[in-house]
Amino acid sequence: MRAKDPVLVSAHRCGAGGDRALENTRVALENALDLDVDFIEFDVQRCADGVLVLYHDDWMWVEERRVPLAALSFEEFSSRAPHFLRYEEVLAALAGVTRAHIDLKFTSPDSLYAEPAATWEVQAARRAVQVLGADQVIVTTLEDKAVRAVRDWSDAEGHDLLVGLSLGRSVRGLPWHRQVRVRVSELLPRLRYTESRANLVVAKHTLARFGVAAFARRRGLPLLVWTVDTEDSLRYWMRPGRAWLVTSNEPALALTARDGYPRHRSGRPPRPPRAPRAPRTRRRTG
């Protein structure tokens, strides 16, 4: 990323904005595609039968009980949430249109990490690469072991894939000493990034301001900042050189903020490192 390159925009949870009922749904996806954003971000969970779905939480209400999504088959899930997209659907919708920001919300059984290619995270990444191409995909996750598995697999396969370790895990409900440990590991993430081999720095906007952005610059790694929604914050983060990519619940506002800065000489955002823009042909889902 060059200092004067425009910051790219990712539509958070398919661009649902403040309406939680629309996140990761077809309606939100269509709206985001109409905005012509650089990336569409979506959350991926895994059902008990291995079907991948777009869903943020790892549980859902079933007869007034919180049931883990990993305990439900796809049929059981879809009967209660028919408006949510399957992973395969969104990949097909994005192919040849725009790039995918895949936020993995699940992990594999510990035994699978001995062989990266066998992990569920790699299976998801492999399918995205097959459909979209490695240069049209970034993969993010909160889990160090998942980042390492995907990075090791992508290197073995010769894919130039950006894989980010996300900093900003919720510490709500944790004992105070665990909260401190988590935040220190995020504000001083050198060891975690070295061991996970993440090649994309991903940070909540507050942590980015408190030193993670400087860490990314020192390491020479692209910086993805999430989730930036207010006008003041967007004006700050959309300034060229501050980040490589910004994820927002308000992608239209982010695009407006970006338009307030001088553009690249060509009048269009230049291609980011290792993630060139796909030829744009309008496709509709449904």
Side-chain angles (χ1 to χ4, degrees), residues 250-273:
E250 304 293 343
L253 193 60
L255 292 170
T256 299
R258 181 171 73 183
D259 288 343
Y261 292 106
R263 303 304 297 272
H264 188 258
R265 184 174 300 173
S266 68
R268 298 170 54 193
R271 293 177 176 177

Side-chain angles (χ1 to χ4, degrees), residues 174-187:
L174 294 179
W176 69 266
H177 57 90
R178 287 282 306 281
Q179 293 186 29
V180 171
R181 186 182 308 166
V182 168
R183 287 294 177 255
V184 169
S185 77
E186 293 174 334
L187 289 168

Side-chain angles (χ1 to χ4, degrees), residues 138-194:
I138 59 175
V139 177
T140 61
T141 172
L142 289 163
E143 304 298 333
D144 302 51
K145 58 186 178 181
V147 173
R148 180 63 185 251
V150 177
R151 284 282 288 125
D152 287 351
W153 164 79
S154 65
D155 278 1
E157 294 293 317
H159 298 309
D160 197 9
L161 182 66
L162 287 176
V163 187
L165 175 62
S166 190
L167 307 174
R169 180 189 296 272
S170 173
V171 295
R172 184 180 304 170
L174 294 179
W176 69 266
H177 57 90
R178 287 282 306 281
Q179 293 186 29
V180 171
R181 186 182 308 166
V182 168
R183 287 294 177 255
V184 169
S185 77
E186 293 174 334
L187 289 168
L188 301 171
R190 182 185 62 81
L191 181 61
R192 294 182 64 191
Y193 269 78
T194 299

Side-chain angles (χ1 to χ4, degrees), residues 44-263:
V44 182
Q45 293 282 8
R46 187 179 189 275
C47 295
D49 51 7
V51 177
L52 301 179
V53 295
L54 271 59
Y55 202 71
H56 180 268
D57 297 333
D58 60 1
W59 60 272
M60 68 186 313
W61 291 109
V62 177
E63 298 176 355
E64 300 183 353
R65 293 184 300 115
R66 283 172 51 141
V67 177
L69 214 67
L72 298 173
S73 68
F74 173 69
E75 183 177 354
E76 292 170 322
F77 167 81
S78 61
S79 68
R80 295 169 174 84
H83 53 300
F84 285 93
L85 290 162
R86 289 187 298 111
Y87 186 59
E88 290 289 341
E89 290 180 286
V90 75
L91 293 181
L94 299 183
V97 180
T98 194
R99 287 168 279 184
H101 171 185
I102 301 168
D103 195 23
L104 299 178
K105 299 295 188 183
F106 59 87
T107 55
S108 303
D110 288 341
S111 60
L112 294 184
Y113 289 101
E115 179 53 55
T119 62
W120 297 342
E121 296 93 330
V122 166
Q123 291 172 16
R126 179 188 293 115
R127 184 56 181 156
V129 169
Q130 289 172 346
V131 175
L132 303 176
D135 59 351
Q136 301 299 301
V137 173
I138 59 175
V139 177
T140 61
T141 172
L142 289 163
E143 304 298 333
D144 302 51
K145 58 186 178 181
V147 173
R148 180 63 185 251
V150 177
R151 284 282 288 125
D152 287 351
W153 164 79
S154 65
D155 278 1
E157 294 293 317
H159 298 309
D160 197 9
L161 182 66
L162 287 176
V163 187
L165 175 62
S166 190
L167 307 174
R169 180 189 296 272
S170 173
V171 295
R172 184 180 304 170
L174 294 179
W176 69 266
H177 57 90
R178 287 282 306 281
Q179 293 186 29
V180 171
R181 186 182 308 166
V182 168
R183 287 294 177 255
V184 169
S185 77
E186 293 174 334
L187 289 168
L188 301 171
R190 182 185 62 81
L191 181 61
R192 294 182 64 191
Y193 269 78
T194 299
E195 293 184 348
S196 69
R197 303 186 60 242
N199 57 359
L200 171 65
V201 177
V202 184
K204 189 173 182 178
H205 61 95
T206 48
L207 294 176
R209 290 212 194 197
F210 275 100
V212 176
F215 166 79
R217 287 193 295 271
R218 290 195 302 272
R219 301 275 288 200
L221 295 175
L223 172 67
L224 188 166
V225 181
W226 60 272
T227 302
V228 186
D229 296 334
T230 67
E231 289 189 37
D232 286 346
S233 290
L234 284 168
R235 278 196 296 269
Y236 178 86
W237 285 112
M238 297 308 298
R239 181 180 291 276
R242 287 243 162 93
W244 170 62
L245 175 65
V246 164
T247 298
S248 179
N249 285 308
E250 304 293 343
L253 193 60
L255 292 170
T256 299
R258 181 171 73 183
D259 288 343
Y261 292 106
R263 303 304 297 272

